[in-house]
Amino acid sequence: MTTAVPARTSAENRRLIASLIRDIPDFPQQGVGFKDITPLLGSAEGFRATVDELVAAAPPAIDVVVGMEARGFIVGAPVAVALGAGFVPVRKPGKLPAATYEVSYDLEYGSETLTIHTDAIKPGSRVLVVDDVLATGGTLAATAELIRRLGAELVHVAVVMELAFLEPHRRLAEAGLGETAITALVTVEG
Ligand SMILES: O=P(O)(O)OC[C@H]1O[C@H](OP(=O)(O)OP(=O)(O)O)[C@H](O)[C@@H]1O
Ligand SMILES: Nc1ncnc2[nH]cnc12
């Protein structure tokens, strides 16, 4: 006989998720408190809860999930499958084989360039962006610019963890993304 395991509530899922993300001081450089999601990914229950909560955050009729290299691939791809949407990778330079658009930006520990195939998303498509961490907002702002260049519509952003003390919303507002709907499963205030 199998015993039914009661489903966790969303609040319980989010507490589980928060408990499985660890803080690594001074990585990758002095002064940065790195939020390591590998224990979360390594937990069957935790990873399941993460995907369930990100999927629940999505508005209806998403055509495409965009995930940013590399951790955005891990959390974005299963969300795309669950939503019945396609998955489009935003990659670091020199990785995508066909014609690309590129945007450069600064992040908490350095600067980076992101690229997308120029034909990756049909104009007018409804896009959900999924990533693990929203920190300064630089990666998200660059990704939003790439989606805009393709003529697609960024309808929602879902991240596992927001580092509110880095004030990503201020940077996103400066980038014209103040009205963009964002769900963070876990928010770190300080
Ligand atoms: O809001 P921001 O300040 O831009 O930072 C958030 C980004 O930083 C991390 O990616 P990273 O560039 O370190 O790449 P990785 O996923 O390959 O580790 C993280 O996965 C986010 O994409
Ligand atoms: N503190 C941090 N931890 C994990 N990923 C990050 N991306 C940018 N800042 C980060």
Side-chain angles (χ1 to χ4, degrees):
M1 196 182 86
T2 54
T3 314
V5 180
R8 264 186 300 272
T9 64
S10 179
E12 287 167 340
N13 270 340
R14 290 172 188 222
R15 273 197 293 277
L16 175 67
I17 292 163
S19 75
L20 288 167
I21 299 174
R22 65 182 170 186
D23 225 316
I24 307 289
D26 301 323
F27 183 89
Q29 63 193 41
Q30 197 73 24
V32 174
F34 190 84
K35 305 299 179 189
D36 179 19
I37 63 162
T38 62
L40 177 64
L41 300 174
S43 157
E45 271 193 315
F47 198 9
R48 171 89 262 164
T50 303
V51 173
D52 286 350
E53 290 299 312
L54 293 171
V55 167
I62 294 297
D63 299 305
V64 168
V65 173
V66 167
M68 298 83 119
E69 184 170 357
R71 286 171 266 154
F73 296 174
I74 303 169
V75 285
V79 171
V81 172
L83 290 175
F87 179 80
V88 169
V90 161
R91 297 214 62 179
K92 293 178 181 166
K95 299 289 187 185
L96 290 172
T100 57
Y101 292 127
E102 292 191 6
V103 174
S104 297
Y105 63 102
D106 293 324
L107 74 171
E108 201 186 352
Y109 37 72
S111 58
E112 197 41 273
T113 299
L114 289 180
T115 72
I116 197 168
H117 275 145
T118 57
D119 61 355
I121 307 175
K122 286 201 192 80
S125 299
R126 286 169 57 82
V127 174
L128 170 72
V129 167
V130 175
D131 205 354
D132 65 331
V133 173
L134 175 61
T136 65
T139 303
L140 176 56
T143 300
E145 170 60 16
L146 291 170
I147 292 165
R148 193 193 64 76
R149 286 196 201 169
L150 292 180
E153 188 191 355
L154 172 55
V155 295
H156 203 97
V157 177
V159 298
V160 179
M161 175 171 273
E162 174 181 326
L163 308 186
F165 59 92
L166 293 175
E167 301 187 335
H169 293 280
R170 190 168 51 80
R171 180 160 177 178
L172 293 171
E174 284 165 9
L177 297 167
E179 302 300 307
T180 305
I182 301 178
T183 300
L185 306 184
V186 177
T187 300
V188 182
E189 301 291 349

